[in-house]
Amino acid sequence: MIRGIKVQLKPNNKQKTKLFESAGVARFAYNWTLNRQQENYKNGGKFISDKDLRKEFTKLKQTKRYK
């Protein structure tokens, strides 16, 4: 038999802020990757590997605009 455990989070204001920030960052990364793949497909390119996208995203994070 498989059992599940329910956990309820009760974050304070600082923790709530951090949770929303991390959700926003994850959404940005997903949207950026999706847009990058769509542009590549429109230009006739093939699927970009996860490894290459991660390297490109790391370089993007090091620019002044996205620090």
Side-chain angles (χ1 to χ4, degrees), residues 5-67:
I5 299 173
K6 291 184 179 181
V7 178
Q8 183 177 3
L9 298 176
K10 294 184 180 181
N12 61 27
N13 287 336
K14 279 187 176 182
Q15 292 169 333
K16 281 182 188 177
T17 302
K18 287 294 182 184
L19 286 171
F20 284 120
E21 284 176 0
S22 62
V25 169
R27 185 179 183 98
F28 173 79
Y30 173 81
N31 287 337
W32 178 85
T33 304
L34 182 63
N35 186 39
R36 183 72 177 89
Q37 288 285 16
Q38 288 174 343
E39 284 179 10
N40 187 46
Y41 182 73
K42 284 179 187 175
N43 295 331
K46 293 189 176 187
F47 185 76
I48 304 172
S49 70
D50 182 48
K51 178 183 169 187
D52 294 335
L53 283 171
R54 286 176 185 265
K55 285 182 180 180
E56 196 173 331
F57 193 72
T58 300
K59 288 179 185 176
L60 179 71
K61 289 191 303 186
Q62 295 170 351
T63 62
K64 285 185 178 182
R65 183 177 179 193
Y66 294 109
K67 258 197 173 184

